[in-house]
Amino acid sequence: MSAISGAAQHYRVRRTPALISVAALATTTLFVPPLATRAAPAAEAVVSADSVTFVDDGATATVTVTVEAADGAVLDAPVTVGWRTGSGTATADADYAATSGTLEFPAGTQSGTERTVRITTRASNSGETAETVPVTLESRDAQVSRQPAVVVRAHGLPYLDPRLSTKKRVADLLKRMTYAEKVGQMTQAERANVTSDPAAITELGLGSVLSGGGSTPAENTPEAWADAIDGFQTQALATRLQIPLIYGVDSVHGHGNLNGATILPHNIGLGATRDPLLVARAERMVASETRATGIPWTFAPCVCVVRDDRWGRTYESFGEHPALASVLGAAAVTGFQGKDLDSSTSVLATAKHFAGDGDTTFGTGEGDYTIDQGITEQSRRHVEQVDLPPYVAALKAGVGSVMPSFSSIDWTDDGLGNPVKMHANRELVTGWLKQKQGFDGFVISDWQGIHQIPPLADDSPTTDQIVTGVNAGIDMFMEPSQFERFHTRLLAAVQDGRVGERRIDDAVSRILAAKFELGLFEEPFADRSNAGDIGSAEHRAIARKAVAESQVLLKNSRRALPLDDDESFYVAGRNADDLGNQAGGWTGTWQGFSGDVTAGTTILEGIEAAADDVTFSEDASAPTDGADVGIVVVGETPYAEGFGDVGGPEWAWDPADGGVPREEKSMSLQPGDAEVVEKVCAEIRTCVVLVVSGRPQVLTDQLRSIDALVASWLPGTEGAGVADVLFGERRFTGKLPVSWPRSADDPVVNVGDKHYDPLFPFGWGLSTGGRTSHHDEQRLALQNEVLDPATGVPPVASRAIATSDVALLEGHETQATRILTRAGS
């Protein structure tokens, strides 16, 4: 997903009543109570009640009314509240006992005191949809801030019967829905744009709400998340059919929006582990933490195959070869979804960004971006072989949703010049994904993705853009702020015949099926039973292991690693003690930020826990004082897509930035980083350099002076995992998920290239002892033989190591070993 960009971080408050179809609301909404009965002086006491109280048919509803004193302590004067049942969709006397009364709050009553109103409903003899009994509160002594309503739950209908198959439940529910209700299910709004007016969920019958990057409740705690989402869910269940919301969030390397969540290495680090069982276990942990806050859906994993590391989303990819992205992408889906989607530790997964987003051509990016949201200029055969295999694997793993890319595809088969946005690409979304591959989940658009379908317009989404997107095969539309406009225009397009009934029914059926499978009709509200495990020691241990296995030892001259904890250490570099830098983008906010972004352990803190004699100087200005080992931690500062593109625009809109643009992104070490490496490596006999980054950083010029070089990627919150391999608590096992280029001027290098000559090849990774497989023994022996400490790996050896690793990923171990044997002979 692409979250809030630029000034759009400042959410606009929702409300454009003129866009709401009155006829549509009449068929969708049970009851939308007014916010107050009259204006009142600021110092007056306030009376309120829950907006919705649910009750089973034939039972008695208890509506709680609360009084708040003006001074927050006690009432200065008595407050009398009159109440009466009103006229809603339920019929007085037949469905409930019409009644009225008064509530008394004497002077001196404590602020927050509650009184109850009881309303008796009449049991019906047949199944019914939900019905509403509005309750009117009036008082001359206080301001009434909220009017309540009683909702008699839908009951006795086939779609509510969990004993029936999902297919039968969907069919029964679908035939009861109006076009307005169906369009509502296809509409997704952003949290901030419905928080101030949650009744919009009821009015439009919205199918989904999401949180963009950095969009959190005012109090960023698990309980506050669950409370907020339950509040939205209450509004969804106040509709006549009581179709629950599905709430989505970008848990791309942990529940990154939640303060205190366990944050994993980004996908590029997980790609280095080559460990599908670990990836599945890690994402299972993420699913548990996400669902414990009331969220049953994640926009992950990204199964893109990154072919140009200048792309700002490189770290969201498992690697440059489809075999690696396929194996680990499928493992991630399995981890997220588990065996049962209705489990309290499962979330619906989303394979993204379909298709070719890691394969776009540099210079074709959207707007100021250099490569992100650009054009994949490839043949159909290339896309079939490189970009689509991870989706085949994700589909086999049962992924529940797929998200199209912002990018376009321009087939070289018929000549360049006619690119098609993926959000408009019926050939791939409907033809390949749904028809050829048999995908039976639903397709969710990216953030305002259809707004980029030409022709562009100031009032997007236009009817043409909506119609094109729906007919291309998109089922649900992420319209964070323009959800009302989308709903109105799609409904009109259906009524005008521009979108067929079968296409709408297909889309809605897919969405409803996911909600049934998630168990939302039976348990729509947050299951908080696992909230205490969020950020727990057990969860952090899983992440710590993932960090250790993600570390790739690129060079280890004079057996500099593992380190001896009895030695003295001089630690330098801006990424040594910065949790935000090591977590990267999609942490805390969309683009992430430097500093204390959440709770965790920095790499420096991990080193200090492993050794007694540690000196830290971020810029290496402090004297080295004869330290035995220098450890320099350099690399990148946080970014996400677009603003992470090399040569792209510079982000400056997080509060931590203070309006100052971040450094321009580059494939080379920043000058300050290079200076620290050069200083420490010149003054200390043993010099270890860690590169904390979302993609390779070119340091060919510094390679000669470095004794041990480690690709640490973006490890997340558990920096102690880096120390684990540095000090030999765990051995280095990581292998490069992408080729490490020699030059920033020519950084595009991928396994299989005709003239393949990286500094370190795909699949490269030294070890620090321990038992290993016969294949790895041969690989390690070849690596030790061919590595030149000043110039890296020669091309012939690079090709052998990379192609052998691909063969191993594809399940051809004998072939992989044979390739290494020939190269070493």
Side-chain angles (χ1 to χ4, degrees), residues 148-194:
V150 172
V151 173
V152 183
R153 291 187 177 96
H155 57 278
L157 301 174
Y159 77 87
L160 298 171
D161 186 352
R163 296 170 299 180
L164 296 179
S165 67
T166 295
K167 184 177 181 180
K168 289 181 177 179
R169 296 179 76 181
V170 168
D172 179 72
L173 178 52
L174 193 68
K175 72 183 182 182
R176 300 177 187 277
M177 298 175 70
T178 65
Y179 276 134
E181 288 166 335
K182 292 174 181 179
V183 169
Q185 287 301 300
M186 298 173 67
T187 309
Q188 183 185 64
E190 211 283 332
R191 179 205 66 84
N193 293 313
V194 292

Side-chain angles (χ1 to χ4, degrees), residues 224-269:
W225 274 91
D227 287 346
I229 294 167
D230 280 355
F232 296 144
Q233 196 67 274
T234 295
Q235 295 296 323
L237 298 177
T239 56
R240 71 180 187 97
L241 294 172
Q242 295 196 296
I243 303 173
L245 282 173
I246 180 172
Y247 199 99
V249 71
D250 287 271
S251 289
V252 294
H253 68 142
H255 192 348
N257 276 340
L258 174 64
N259 187 36
T262 307
I263 304 300
L264 293 171
H266 271 291
N267 281 356
I268 195 168

Side-chain angles (χ1 to χ4, degrees), residues 592-603:
F593 56 90
S594 301
D596 294 331
V597 65
T598 187
T601 302
T602 67
I603 294 172

Side-chain angles (χ1 to χ4, degrees), residues 11-14 189-197 200 480-481 483:
Y11 302 104
R12 287 179 288 176
V13 177
R14 165 232 171 252
E190 211 283 332
R191 179 205 66 84
N193 293 313
V194 292
T195 295
S196 61
D197 190 3
S481 59
F483 54 92

